[in-house]
Amino acid sequence: MSGETDDPFAASKIAVTGRLFILKDDLTEDFIRSSGPGGQNVNKVSTAVQLRFDLAGNETLPEDVKTRAARLAGSRLTLGGEIVLQAGRFRTRERNREDALERLLDLLRKATEKPKPRKATKPTLGSKKRRLDAKKQRGQIKKMRGRSSGYDG
């Protein structure tokens, strides 16, 4: 035995992409009771994990990645700048830890992708004509809704 474990939390650095990483110190985990599978064991054992990543205090990720990560996290981002993920799909703590970490890393990987800038285009002549024709047709339909001439009411 070499003493090395397959535990992703064992290393002080956790790779996000080839060049980017996060520190283990930026992660906090709490074990809570799970609502998932486990039968009566669910009421006794805290197997679900609540993983917290200190996005605001992180110093290894660039600011643009942190901004995009905050937007992607949405309601999972706390006012204190932490991303909170809960994982309780599995019956064991280890599987739930791995699941939560993998979901966090997926979110951070998506945040590293720069959005493609939108190129402004002008509408084609055909699309302008179709739009105006549709407006004229709609106007004709509404014009036909007027009062009929045989009613004196």
Side-chain angles (χ1 to χ4, degrees):
M1 280 202 155
S2 64
E4 249 183 69
T5 62
D6 290 335
D7 186 2
F9 286 89
S12 64
K13 292 180 182 178
I14 301 169
V16 176
T17 63
R19 293 180 303 173
L20 295 176
F21 63 91
I22 57 174
L23 297 175
K24 182 182 174 189
D25 296 342
D26 290 338
L27 298 173
T28 314
E29 53 183 18
D30 296 314
F31 292 98
I32 54 178
R33 288 194 180 145
S34 176
S35 63
Q40 292 178 359
N41 210 36
V42 149
N43 302 324
K44 300 185 290 187
V45 184
S46 300
T47 55
V49 67
Q50 187 179 62
L51 182 70
R52 292 176 171 271
F53 172 62
D54 186 10
L55 185 65
N58 178 274
E59 296 176 0
T60 60
L61 297 175
E63 283 303 315
D64 62 327
V65 173
K66 288 164 76 169
T67 304
R68 285 193 293 271
R71 191 170 40 246
L72 286 170
S75 63
R76 295 173 291 190
L77 185 70
T78 66
L79 294 174
E82 287 185 323
I83 296 176
V84 180
L85 296 173
Q86 288 193 12
R89 290 192 303 170
F90 301 103
R91 292 178 70 153
T92 63
R93 280 185 174 193
E94 289 73 31
R95 292 282 305 273
N96 285 328
R97 285 174 81 198
E98 291 168 11
D99 183 40
L101 181 62
E102 194 52 47
R103 286 178 24 217
L104 174 66
L105 293 176
D106 283 345
L107 185 140
L108 293 175
R109 283 184 196 114
K110 282 181 189 165
T112 61
E113 297 169 7
K114 291 189 172 108
K116 216 159 94 174
R118 184 185 180 279
K119 294 178 185 172
T121 57
K122 292 183 179 175
T124 63
L125 205 60
S127 67
K128 285 183 188 175
K129 187 175 176 359
R130 284 190 298 273
R131 185 180 68 88
L132 292 174
D133 287 345
K135 285 175 67 111
K136 281 181 189 162
Q137 189 176 3
R138 189 79 185 138
Q140 289 298 320
I141 290 170
K142 289 184 174 188
K143 193 184 252 186
M144 298 301 287
R145 292 182 186 159
R147 277 200 185 136
S148 62
S149 58
Y151 180 70
D152 285 340

